[in-house]
Amino acid sequence: MDIKNIRLSVLDQSPVRKGVTAEQAVQETIALAKYTDALGFYRYWVAEHHNTGSLAGSTPEVLIAYLASQTKHIRVGSGGVMMPNHSALKVAENFRMLEALAPGRIDLGMGRAPGTDRITAAMLNPSNQFREQDFVEQLADLVNYFHDRADPGTIQQKIRAIPQVKTIPAMWLLSSSGQSGLFAAHFGMGFSFAHFINPVGGAQAVKAYKERFQPSEDLQRAEANMAIFVFCSEDEEKIAQHKAIMDYRFIQFEKGMGIQPLAYADVKDAEYTLPEQDRIRYNRQRVVAGTPAMVKERLTNLAESYGIDEIIAVTITENFEDRLRSYELLAQLFELPIPF
């Protein structure tokens, strides 16, 4: 695959680094959006997480509005809005307003997980039943709201999503299992596979999505990408330290200890059991961390195996400058076109 045909994008969870406040984390998100916009990245997605102090991104619809005002070329969107926490009408109105503010630059990426624990999810939406059918109905309602129509005989015939704007955000379904890829194919939406959550089965999920894709009035051809943890550096020691932090973070999360801000000093003496070492080997498939040459080869091979032309890089580092530099190196490696 010609690297010039690979588009690079960003998924930002607004991580709160150790010793840094949530306010600073949000300012880093703003700075990174501006930086990657200037570097030629294609889209910038922000996440929805709740009840975790280490990730400041809880309201993508609010953050998107500000990021769109601070950038010029890059598409800005959600990766994603967790639909069980919201009504379809409220999501439609939020994203219609965003389209009014930045027409043609907004992505609505949606997930069917709550982005938090079950107790918090119940507080966010007390009527949430966690049923798959509810998600499917929300998607159907959402499309109708965006097109100012309703199924005959339904209460939606009396409702319009305001403001009534002419453009519609690009709709994407996010998945770490593949099931939502089938929904995306049915509704004619884009499909993004979360390789950074599940490193197995992504290529097969994208293949199934493409085979079953039904063109919609909003998307005529199947469009897919994948998201993966990436860290690119010219410093071998920084690469080793980054891997150590990620290894530790995954193990702690799998033990139910949540996501904690970490520095290398916190993990450098960690010892792991044999089962934990197996998990580390598995989880390292979720990450591409290395020198520019290595990262270029790995990402190009992944794009080929998935049959996609867009990779979304998720980068969390101990130092913000290393995060900026990693994205800068990616832009150079894949010869991203500089926007004018």
Side-chain angles (χ1 to χ4, degrees):
M1 177 177 289
D2 186 348
I3 59 170
K4 291 184 179 180
N5 294 328
I6 297 178
R7 296 183 297 192
L8 294 183
S9 297
V10 181
L11 172 59
D12 184 2
Q13 300 166 316
S14 300
V16 182
R17 296 181 295 109
K18 188 167 185 178
V20 167
T21 65
E23 291 88 346
Q24 287 173 289
V26 173
Q27 289 301 314
E28 289 177 357
T29 284
I30 297 166
L32 183 61
K34 291 180 178 180
Y35 192 61
T36 51
D37 182 31
L39 287 173
F41 280 74
Y42 186 64
R43 67 179 96 241
Y44 196 101
W45 283 358
V46 290
E48 177 183 342
H49 291 282
H50 302 279
N51 200 30
T52 172
S54 62
L55 300 175
S58 60
T59 53
E61 61 276 11
V62 176
L63 197 49
I64 290 166
Y66 190 78
L67 295 179
S69 74
Q70 297 297 302
T71 54
K72 297 179 180 179
H73 308 281
I74 198 167
R75 297 189 64 87
V76 187
S78 56
V81 167
M82 300 293 103
M83 293 299 288
N85 302 334
H86 311 277
S87 73
L89 176 59
K90 187 57 179 172
V91 173
E93 292 195 327
N94 283 341
F95 278 79
R96 274 196 148 180
M97 179 60 77
L98 291 170
E99 275 291 326
L101 294 170
R105 286 180 57 208
I106 301 299
D107 292 337
L108 169 54
M110 297 167 281
R112 63 189 179 106
T116 187
D117 57 87
R118 283 293 180 105
I119 296 174
T120 306
M123 294 298 100
L124 286 163
N125 180 6
S127 64
N128 186 3
Q129 300 296 311
F130 301 98
R131 295 183 306 188
E132 188 174 273
Q133 184 59 31
D134 292 340
F135 179 64
V136 174
E137 290 174 3
Q138 280 187 304
L139 296 178
D141 289 343
L142 189 69
V143 172
N144 282 342
Y145 285 134
F146 282 140
H147 288 279
D148 294 309
R149 66 188 181 213
D151 294 329
T154 65
I155 196 171
Q156 277 85 357
Q157 286 186 305
K158 300 180 179 181
I159 301 169
R160 291 291 179 267
I162 303 300
Q164 290 182 274
V165 296
K166 295 181 180 179
T167 57
I168 294 173
M171 288 178 277
W172 290 75
L173 292 189
L174 319 180
S175 179
S176 60
S177 66
Q179 178 60 47
S180 287
L182 303 181
F183 298 148
H186 173 77
F187 284 101
M189 298 177 179
F191 176 53
S192 181
F193 191 84
H195 191 105
F196 72 101
I197 295 175
N198 176 16
V200 177
Q204 292 80 3
V206 169
K207 183 173 184 290
Y209 158 74
K210 289 181 176 180
E211 289 174 347
R212 302 188 186 194
F213 181 81
Q214 300 177 32
S216 67
E217 55 201 306
D218 303 310
L219 186 65
Q220 293 299 305
R221 299 178 61 185
E223 190 171 356
N225 62 37
M226 60 87 79
I228 185 169
F229 284 116
V230 179
F231 178 62
C232 187
S233 175
E234 296 150 316
D235 187 324
E236 295 277 6
E237 184 176 352
K238 285 183 178 180
I239 294 167
Q241 291 183 2
H242 179 82
K243 289 179 178 179
I245 291 173
M246 297 297 284
D247 291 343
Y248 188 89
R249 178 177 283 124
F250 291 146
I251 291 295
Q252 294 301 101
F253 183 77
E254 291 177 353
K255 288 180 176 180
M257 300 177 70
I259 305 171
Q260 304 298 325
L262 293 170
Y264 178 65
D266 299 321
V267 307
K268 64 183 181 65
D269 297 321
E271 296 182 359
Y272 300 104
T273 64
L274 289 176
E276 287 173 343
Q277 291 174 33
D278 287 339
R279 290 304 301 170
I280 285 172
R281 283 188 285 272
Y282 174 83
N283 284 326
R284 283 198 173 187
Q285 299 176 86
R286 299 160 61 182
V287 184
V288 172
T291 59
M294 177 270 190
V295 168
K296 180 179 177 181
E297 180 180 7
R298 283 283 309 280
L299 292 182
T300 302
N301 289 341
L302 278 168
E304 289 179 346
S305 68
Y306 268 80
I308 56 174
D309 62 2
E310 180 183 0
I311 293 173
I312 302 180
V314 192
T315 303
I316 299 176
T317 56
E318 184 176 352
N319 299 303
F320 185 57
E321 293 75 16
D322 291 336
R323 195 175 179 207
L324 293 175
R325 179 59 176 161
S326 180
Y327 282 111
E328 181 183 14
L329 288 171
L330 288 178
Q332 294 172 1
L333 289 175
F334 288 89
E335 302 176 30
L336 298 188
I338 303 299
F340 295 99

